[in-house]
Amino acid sequence: MTAALDLQGVACTFVSKDQPGQRYTAVQDVNLTVAAGEFVSVVGPTGCGKSTLLNVAAGLLNPSVGAVQVFGQPLAGINRRAGYMFQAESLMPWRTAQANVAAGLQFHGVPQAQAMQQANDWLHRVGLGGFGDRYPHQMSGGMRKRVSLAQTLVLDPDIILMDEPFSALDIQTRQLMENELLDLWQAKKKAVLFITHDLDEAIALSDRVVVMSAGPGSHPMGDFTIDMDRPRDVAEIKTTARFLALHTAIWAVLREEVLKGYAQQLKVA
Ligand SMILES: Nc1ncnc2c1ncn2[C@@H]1O[C@H](COP(=O)(O)OP(=O)(O)O)[C@@H](O)[C@H]1O
Ligand SMILES: [Mg+2]
């Protein structure tokens, strides 16, 4: 079956910010596929190139080397099959929750009334029915994340790209959001590429966890199948023996890379 997303031999080289004239290869030799309907998480040390890879998958960044295929087609320009949820807040402060969710549809030419109706439906689905007329500053961080989630999903993308979307949330809100994401994903079975530095989160959510090495030239160095039943409750699953066994196995690989990444950051600082 053709993969939803297929990165083949991808490398990304940047002009170094610290040493002008020097080049820095963040990621190299990256082969990464996400099957249709598969939930894949990528974990790795800070600065190893996780966001870089997501930008490549989104078509926001052209790899220096390698190719990207989306459902068997070479990716050129923005990935129109994908929706992107960033780590940072991305709501427009001058628009209400409903108008924020409707914005993407309107950019795609959906008539105003229809866009607002669909936005309203999605706000209900993420537990924000009745909050459509709130502005971002009138909502909690968790509520704003729900709006962002609705904003991404309302466009019904076949591929969902998420860059540490819940990292700024408190642990309870985060678990609620993770469970909600799994429910929505379970219902629609889209391909998900989920970036996180949190191994617990990666294991609890995913079908597969990919571990990136420390940079420079970061690449996948472990690929673990998460063979745990669904539907899952992210809090409950963490107490199971299988979860702990997987965590131990993956952490054995990740730990070294985190230490290497940390040492490099100290060197730079
Ligand atoms: N546009 C850019 N210009 C220069 N360096 C960059 C750029 N984007 C990322 N980098 C560098 O590439 C490395 C990987 O960054 P990033 O993908 O943001 O890492 P992560 O998301 O894993 O923390 C970092 O060293 C970062 O400084
Ligand atoms: Mg990042």
Side-chain angles (χ1 to χ4, degrees), residues 115-126:
M116 290 300 263
Q117 182 57 53
Q118 285 185 43
N120 197 39
D121 292 348
W122 267 101
L123 285 173
H124 272 95
R125 248 169 256 171
V126 299

Side-chain angles (χ1 to χ4, degrees), residues 2 6 10-11 13 15 18 39 46 57 95 111 114 119 122 127 153 165 206 232 237 240 243 252 254 262:
T2 34
D6 189 6
V10 163
T13 300
V15 176
D18 311 313
F39 199 125
T46 306
R95 280 186 175 237
Q114 197 184 328
W122 267 101
L153 299 181
S206 311
R232 299 178 188 165
I237 205 169
T240 64
F243 182 95
L254 181 57
Y262 185 59

Side-chain angles (χ1 to χ4, degrees), residues 14-15 17 24 26 45-53 163-164 195:
F14 300 110
V15 176
K17 281 178 282 198
Y24 179 80
T46 306
C48 75
K50 301 183 294 296
S51 296
T52 299
L53 283 184
D163 192 356
E164 309 204 14
I195 303 291

